[in-house]
Amino acid sequence: MKNWLFPILTALLALLFVGSLVYGAVFIPPSSVVDILLGKGAERQSWVNIVLQSRLPQAVTAIMAGSSLAVSGLLLQTLFRNPLAGPSILGISDGANLGVAAVMLYFGGSLGRLADWPISGYPAIILAAFAGACVILVIILYFSTKVRNSVMLLIIGIMIGYLASSCISILNFYATADRVHSYVMWGMGNFAAVSLEQLPLFTVCTLGGLFLSILLIKPLNALLLGEMYAANLGIRVNRVRLYILLCTGLLTAVTTAFCGPISFIGLAVPHIARLALGSSNHKMLLPVTLLTGACVALLCNMLMVVPGTNTVLPLNAVTPLIGAPVIIYVIVNRKNIHYFN
Amino acid sequence: MNPAPVIQTSDLSIGYAGKGGKRKRVHDGLSLELLSGQVTCLLGMNGVGKSTLLRTLAGFQLSLSGDILVMGKPLQAYYQSELSLAIGVVLTEKTNAGDLTAYDLVSLGRHPYTGFFGTLKTHDREVIEQSIEAVGMTQKAQQLVAEMSDGERQKIMIAKTLAQESPIILLDEPTAFLDIASRIETMILLRKLAIEQGKAILLSTHDIEQAIQMGDFLWLLGKNRPLLSGTPEDLILDGSFASFFRKKNMDFDLSTGKLTAKAPTTPIGIEGDPLMVYWVSNALIRNGWMPTPSTPDNINIICNPNRHFIITFPNGAHRETTSIQQLLQEIHPI
């Protein structure tokens, strides 16, 4: 147990948070950013708008989304006893994606209009994303009872993800060109999609899901031994499995509904956390995963801005840069990594 | 003191509820008693339902019919949390606990006692430490499970059941993947727990010799035949063992308690130094001879210490050899 990890991660989180406020496509002097945050105003009104209306909600969104995805990845990896499980690999993100696409096309709104929707419209989208994610989760869970081989199960997850994507393609096919364009943009992932007005709803949903996950720490530890051992320790496995899936569904769905399907954070962050912590005890691992997820998301948020230009890369162009090497490292070194044994 | 039965079954049928209400019966009519303070070994070939029986007794799967009483109360009347106080298990299921310390893993055994977040109180810590000590792993309590040998992992899993403080411990082939030293060590440990802590221990195994040596009580489970149970020696002497393990090319040797290749038939006389006689007989049986007392009609071997053997053939010819290999060559074509 490395107790020093918490202060370090907290400091890192604070640093990255400040960094995200100071660093962006538009240069704003750090002193002005401080003044703006202290409510003193700045030389230019546009700077105030950028910091308060754009960078601040974006940084908070990144923290929430990163924690959510990382924690859902951890829950799935423990539940399926598969270190390569994650919301995007198992097709859960695609399910949420499909839910969002269906609702939007049902209402006939473009994604551009979606952003202007009154807040009352968002719960519908979150619900649709949640429903989509849960449907995929239940399908995966059904197959997990039929297919014991975890690699095969992952492939089934990928196939189901393809099926969901195929439905989305069909929906897209009948949509107009600019809807398709905005949909593609949304699919690239974006922490900037949550406006200051939508932030409270997003935060409440996310914190709710994270709170639920903390309640699951005890059964998650028992599940490390497998379902029969867990049952023998008095855990009601079927019920716990349902809670884990609902929690994962909620976290993935809310994040996907607001920020688009974000790859690799859910898959890679639990590994970073386990490697750093050197323990699978969820009492420590869950908070460490949560903090690491927030840090990684903030880091990605900053890496999106190409230095010296005004260019901002899509989020999903950046997350694999961190995630893929981690997963490759983990697979190559799996013989020496304890949590595989 | 008479040992008390902690699990009793009557006319129990085990198996699986298959598709369309079809049931796959694995075994019928099991009437058993598991006693506390004893090591009971469940023996049987693959596929006769050893794991199914253990899983049924542990409450992981439902019985098809019949009754199971655990501590005098019907199994189906137990809440899951309540059953975890009565029965602890060690399974063959693969665990993902490599990144836990031995202490962390054993502390999972306290789950039935701890609160919502599994926080350990002073008493819990005492029980965990005692459990680790009972399996002799105190020195390695802070080591990661992944860094342990198979034998040490098995001890830690046993310590987990001790932390559970359940009077019954069920183990599914606990020695299957262990080397011979760890097997013996594990069995000695289980005996110690049965004797010192009065645990009722039931384990399935393929190791017949060890079961005979270390088991207080044996359950012999075979396909399509009633389960035989009793003290190992009784089962050997009343012929249960022999009938149980009789197969085409195999025999159960009553005098040694070993399964051997099909009974040898060609007699050969052997006498002399007991140690030499034992091992020469071993080699002879393997080669199809049946050692008997010396008679003039057969080949006779006199065994002197230090592998000095004198072979006398029925025609009166003599040979002397100084190794068993030579001896076998001399007597070769039978």
Side-chain angles (χ1 to χ4, degrees), chain A residues 111-275:
Chain A
L111 278 155
R113 263 182 60 197
L114 186 75
D116 302 329
W117 272 22
I119 288 174
S120 62
Y122 255 88
I125 288 183
I126 294 173
L127 277 179
F130 184 59
C134 284
V135 167
I136 301 284
L137 274 167
V138 168
I139 294 172
I140 296 285
L141 194 70
Y142 169 76
F143 280 111
S144 78
T145 62
K146 300 274 164 196
V147 181
R148 287 285 168 197
N149 183 320
S150 51
V151 176
M152 294 301 139
L153 186 65
L154 282 187
I155 292 173
I156 288 178
I158 294 169
M159 291 304 131
I160 290 169
Y162 278 134
L163 283 177
S165 303
S166 138
C167 296
I168 295 171
S169 301
I170 294 167
L171 291 174
N172 263 321
F173 185 75
Y174 291 103
T176 60
D178 33 313
R179 282 180 201 173
V180 172
H181 176 74
S182 48
Y183 193 82
V184 168
M185 293 308 290
W186 180 75
M188 286 177 174
N190 196 352
F191 291 138
V194 183
S195 71
L196 203 54
E197 293 75 42
Q198 295 156 352
L199 199 55
L201 176 66
F202 178 66
T203 311
V204 165
C205 291
T206 306
L207 289 180
L210 291 175
F211 178 72
L212 284 179
S213 74
I214 288 169
L215 301 183
L216 293 168
I217 284 177
K218 182 175 170 176
L220 283 169
N221 275 338
L223 281 174
L224 287 176
L225 295 181
E227 294 191 353
M228 275 203 248
Y229 272 119
N232 179 247
L233 291 170
I235 305 290
R236 290 179 184 159
V237 175
N238 286 336
R239 193 179 292 192
V240 164
R241 197 193 286 130
L242 182 68
Y243 291 157
I244 292 177
L245 291 179
L246 286 176
C247 188
T248 315
L250 177 67
L251 288 170
T252 310
V254 170
T255 307
T256 307
F258 279 99
C259 307
I262 300 169
S263 60
F264 277 105
I265 290 184
L267 179 60
V269 168
H271 290 282
I272 301 175
R274 279 193 209 97
L275 291 171

Side-chain angles (χ1 to χ4, degrees), chain A residues 81 218 224 229 232 280 341, chain B residues 84 87 91 94 96 98 111:
Chain A
R81 295 152 58 68
K218 182 175 170 176
L224 287 176
Y229 272 119
N232 179 247
S280 301
N341 294 307
Chain B
S84 63
I87 300 177
L91 306 167
K94 187 185 177 301
N96 281 6
H111 263 204

Side-chain angles (χ1 to χ4, degrees), chain B residues 2 87 90 113 116 157 222 230 239 244 263 291 297:
Chain B
N2 273 333
I87 300 177
V90 175
Y113 301 89
F116 194 81
M157 294 312 292
F244 203 82
D297 302 338

Side-chain angles (χ1 to χ4, degrees), chain B residues 133-149:
Chain B
E133 202 190 328
V135 300
M137 291 289 286
T138 307
Q139 300 292 325
K140 299 198 169 179
Q142 292 307 321
Q143 205 169 317
L144 292 179
V145 172
E147 292 167 348
M148 295 185 167
S149 69

